[in-house]
Amino acid sequence: MADKNDQTEYIYKIATEDWEIEQIHRLNYRTFVEEIPQHAPNTDERLVDRFHAENTYIICLQDRRLMGMLAIRGTRPFSIDSKLANLDAYLPTGRSACEVRLLAVEPDARKTVVFPKLFEHAVRHCLHNGYDICIISATTRQLKLYRHLGFVPFGPLVGSEQAQYQPMYLTLENFGRTLEKSTVLRSSFVEGPAPEQHVLNFLPGPVPTSSEVRQALSGPAISHRSKLFITRMADIRARLCKLTGAADVQIMLGSGTIANATVANQLALLGTTGLILSNGEFGERLAGNARNAGLRYDWLQLPWGHTFDMAEVTRLAERLPAGGWIWFVHHETSTGIMNPLDALKKLADRLNLHLCADCISSIGAMPVDLHGMYLATCASGKGLGSFPGIAMVFHNYKPEPHPDRFPGYLDLGHWFENQSVPHTHSTNLVAALDIAVQQATPERMQQIADNAKWLREQLQSLGFQLAASEDVASPGIMTILPVKEMSAAELGEELEMRGFWLSYRSQYLLNHNWIQAALLGNPSRESLEKLVHMLSVVCRRTPEAKATIAAAAKAVKS
């Protein structure tokens, strides 16, 4: 946000560039040598912190000018260890601590949003890195403000007469309050009402949920053995079958991983050879499920992002015995590619093969026809737009229980025999799923598709490449390849600090330098427009992106 005297937008990020680091040393000198006489002057007029190599700097930029900074460090001993003996005796026990230091804001930015926003982003960074208490040496000039942020003073004053500091800490319990109070703080620094703070969620899970789904989750829990719950379970199963065209479905506790492990066990009962198709992370996970279940199979393993040649698939499928199986991922979540469900159904039908699909990221977000499918899997926290914790296995036959062979939770026949309630269920999660399934309408799916088309065009206008080409692209997820020399992890972290949640932390995304924007939870067009705008702002600092951004700016705003 810009202050009232300058329309250039503030950008908050982790310092990574050489020119940013150099400005940190200069601001450090002006603040802790010239303004606060904590260090001796030098002719270079730059002060390199003694812990510089271990510091993570949260900074605020206005164009290419450093407006404010603070440093976070999680390595002991902290700087305050040398000033205060037996530091741990003052702190709550059992905590993961970090130290926040070198808070400095340029004088012309001290009555703006910079100070509270630096703390807000520092809090987010601490949370994401597992710290649950941060320690500071607070200048005695600002103790009231630090207390307002939630910091608790401890121990005696430290420092010199010219520069005295009060040791303080902020615990995990107060982190949430800090974020809430940041809005109040901003209103005290900037004229006019403070903007509301919203996190915009573009994750593939957990996905945004509707108010009705959230309300259903928060309702009172009921007995999973009650007639009311048994009836509700039967109704949801019927609605899921109507939604997909499946013959039957079992609703289980767990994630999509549990559902796919259950499918592997069912394929083991066939006692025959199969074919696994993979062109991404989740197809390769199916091969892992098959190995763990001791299945015999061929594996057509394509490079990630490649599409299947049906002639090659047909050649491999024709080698299978009648009654064999094919297992694949419908929507390959890692790349955003839709694999050919209809073509594979026709092939399996012609060759008398059992066709199985991981539909975890497709059911609910787009039309999916499971007629003729032997087995298919789904999860509540993806395309259906509910909370994670419910797994679904669709089937077109009556599975038999095998208590001597499989654990009950991985035995589809066990769930079928007990009408999906063999064990304790979360009645709240099922209630939320019930509403989500009712909301999985053709209109919702069309809205996701329309927004996906719009977003793809905007991302490409900004110079981004997408892993999936238009003809095979899923509307549910866009896997974004950043422009040359841009780190997807750094981009994701910067967006996160601005309140935009994208997926980039999974190891397979880090390995490929990819970042993902998901529409599985049906985010609004308004939120997508904000995302595109923020991407254009954040990417301006990348030299390779500047020309593209400048050329596309007018089109993006329109």
Side-chain angles (χ1 to χ4, degrees):
M1 176 179 176
D3 68 28
K4 62 182 180 179
N5 296 318
D6 196 317
Q7 296 305 310
T8 304
E9 188 160 8
Y10 291 141
I11 293 177
Y12 300 84
K13 66 182 294 286
I14 292 175
T16 55
E17 310 296 331
D18 290 342
W19 62 269
E20 295 169 347
I21 300 300
E22 180 59 28
Q23 289 197 52
I24 286 171
H25 300 328
R26 299 288 180 183
L27 180 57
N28 201 19
Y29 183 90
R30 292 195 298 273
T31 303
F32 298 105
V33 175
E34 295 179 344
E35 183 175 355
I36 301 174
Q38 188 172 328
H39 298 276
N42 63 62
T43 56
D44 292 336
E45 296 187 347
R46 64 197 300 271
L47 178 61
V48 179
D49 184 61
R50 60 185 171 132
F51 298 118
H52 172 67
E54 299 172 352
N55 289 340
T56 296
Y57 295 98
I58 308 293
I59 62 173
C60 171
L61 297 174
Q62 191 177 56
D63 198 7
R64 288 176 65 90
R65 181 190 175 200
L66 179 67
M67 303 304 295
M69 68 176 188
L70 57 79
I72 300 174
R73 178 171 167 268
T75 306
R76 297 291 291 268
F78 296 143
S79 62
I80 199 171
D81 276 305
S82 63
K83 303 171 186 175
L84 190 62
N86 198 18
L87 172 63
D88 292 311
Y90 294 98
L91 304 176
T93 59
R95 300 284 180 156
S96 176
C98 67
E99 185 176 38
V100 175
R101 307 172 53 248
L102 307 183
L103 172 63
V105 178
E106 289 284 17
D108 59 330
R110 290 178 185 172
K111 294 298 181 180
T112 69
V113 298
V114 172
F115 178 86
K117 287 288 283 185
L118 281 172
F119 262 104
E120 180 176 336
H121 293 314
V123 166
R124 295 185 188 278
H125 179 82
C126 290
L127 286 170
H128 288 304
N129 286 275
Y131 301 122
D132 56 12
I133 185 171
C134 64
I135 301 163
I136 63 169
S137 297
T139 175
T140 53
R141 308 173 190 178
Q142 297 287 354
L143 291 184
K144 181 178 179 181
L145 183 56
Y146 282 107
R147 288 178 185 272
H148 192 70
L149 283 166
F151 282 89
V152 176
F154 66 90
L157 295 178
V158 296
S160 63
E161 290 186 7
Q162 294 80 15
Q164 288 191 320
Y165 297 91
Q166 172 65 60
M168 306 184 83
Y169 65 76
L170 178 67
T171 64
L172 175 64
E173 294 88 297
N174 283 335
F175 276 177
R177 298 177 192 173
T178 300
L179 292 177
E180 292 174 4
K181 290 178 179 179
S182 67
T183 301
V184 178
L185 286 170
R186 278 192 295 275
S187 66
S188 68
F189 288 134
V190 184
E191 292 183 4
E196 293 185 14
Q197 295 300 296
H198 295 290
V199 170
L200 297 179
N201 180 356
F202 303 99
L203 296 173
V207 300
T209 54
S210 70
S211 58
E212 295 84 1
V213 169
R214 294 192 297 273
Q215 183 177 359
L217 181 75
S218 64
I222 62 176
S223 169
H224 64 286
R225 300 299 181 194
S226 68
K227 183 177 180 180
L228 174 62
F229 182 73
I230 298 298
T231 301
R232 168 174 278 174
M233 180 66 80
D235 289 344
I236 300 173
R237 292 170 62 199
R239 274 193 285 272
L240 283 166
C241 290
K242 182 178 180 181
L243 176 68
T244 62
D248 204 349
V249 62
Q250 301 309 313
I251 297 178
M252 310 159 60
L253 279 169
S255 66
T257 301
I258 290 290
N260 284 333
T262 301
V263 167
N265 284 343
Q266 290 297 296
L267 293 178
L269 295 173
L270 295 177
T272 187
T273 305
L275 171 64
I276 290 177
L277 310 175
S278 74
N279 55 355
E281 169 70 14
F282 292 91
E284 294 181 3
R285 290 190 190 183
L286 295 185
N289 290 127
R291 284 193 300 272
N292 293 337
L295 303 183
R296 301 194 308 273
Y297 61 94
D298 295 326
W299 183 7
L300 178 55
Q301 183 183 19
L302 298 186
W304 291 23
H306 287 218
T307 56
F308 294 111
D309 179 351
M310 282 304 298
E312 183 179 15
V313 173
T314 299
R315 179 177 59 81
L316 293 172
E318 287 175 341
R319 293 165 45 183
L320 297 174
W325 50 269
I326 300 175
W327 198 8
F328 75 107
V329 176
H330 180 212
H331 171 197
E332 178 48 69
T333 313
S334 61
T335 61
I337 284 179
M338 295 297 297
N339 287 317
L341 175 63
D342 290 340
L344 289 169
K345 284 169 65 174
K346 292 178 182 178
L347 177 64
D349 183 61
R350 178 171 69 83
L351 298 177
N352 192 25
L353 300 174
H354 298 89
L355 185 63
C356 308
D358 174 335
C359 298
I360 289 170
S361 292
S362 55
I363 291 175
M366 61 203 75
V368 178
D369 182 2
L370 298 182
H371 282 100
M373 297 290 295
Y374 187 64
L375 291 161
T377 53
C378 183
S380 55
K382 299 290 186 180
L384 285 169
S386 189
F387 292 91
I390 298 291
M392 285 150 274
V393 178
F394 296 85
H395 52 95
N396 71 353
Y397 63 99
K398 295 182 179 180
E400 296 288 334
H402 291 80
D404 296 332
R405 186 163 181 178
F406 306 131
Y409 269 85
L410 300 178
D411 185 352
L412 188 63
H414 180 54
W415 291 87
F416 173 76
E417 186 179 56
N418 291 278
Q419 303 176 75
S420 283
V421 195
H423 307 289
T424 301
H425 248 296
S426 169
T427 61
N428 296 78
L429 283 176
V430 171
L433 176 63
D434 186 7
I435 301 301
V437 173
Q438 294 180 49
Q439 293 180 342
T441 61
E443 291 76 18
R444 178 181 186 270
M445 297 178 195
Q446 186 61 52
Q447 187 173 33
I448 291 174
D450 292 343
N451 282 336
K453 183 177 185 298
W454 179 88
L455 182 59
R456 286 180 64 84
E457 293 171 353
Q458 299 302 315
L459 292 173
Q460 288 169 338
S461 76
L462 291 177
F464 290 109
Q465 293 183 346
L466 302 175
S469 60
E470 184 70 34
D471 58 327
V472 295
S474 158
I477 289 178
M478 286 168 209
T479 298
I480 304 167
L481 286 58
V483 294
K484 184 180 178 183
E485 297 183 2
M486 177 183 288
S487 164
E490 289 178 12
L491 175 60
E493 197 156 36
E494 288 186 35
L495 290 170
E496 196 168 76
M497 290 195 298
R498 305 298 295 269
F500 295 81
W501 289 358
L502 277 72
S503 180
Y504 65 93
R505 282 195 170 88
S506 296
Q507 193 59 51
Y508 66 87
L509 293 176
L510 294 172
N511 291 343
H512 286 80
N513 195 38
W514 290 349
I515 187 169
Q516 293 182 319
L519 282 68
L520 296 176
N522 193 24
S524 67
R525 176 66 65 88
E526 180 184 7
S527 67
L528 293 172
E529 290 171 348
K530 290 178 180 178
L531 172 62
V532 170
H533 172 69
M534 190 53 60
L535 280 168
S536 71
V537 170
V538 171
C539 292
R540 285 186 194 126
R541 67 180 182 85
T542 306
E544 291 78 4
K546 283 187 175 180
T548 305
I549 296 297
K554 291 183 179 180
V556 170
K557 289 180 180 178
S558 64

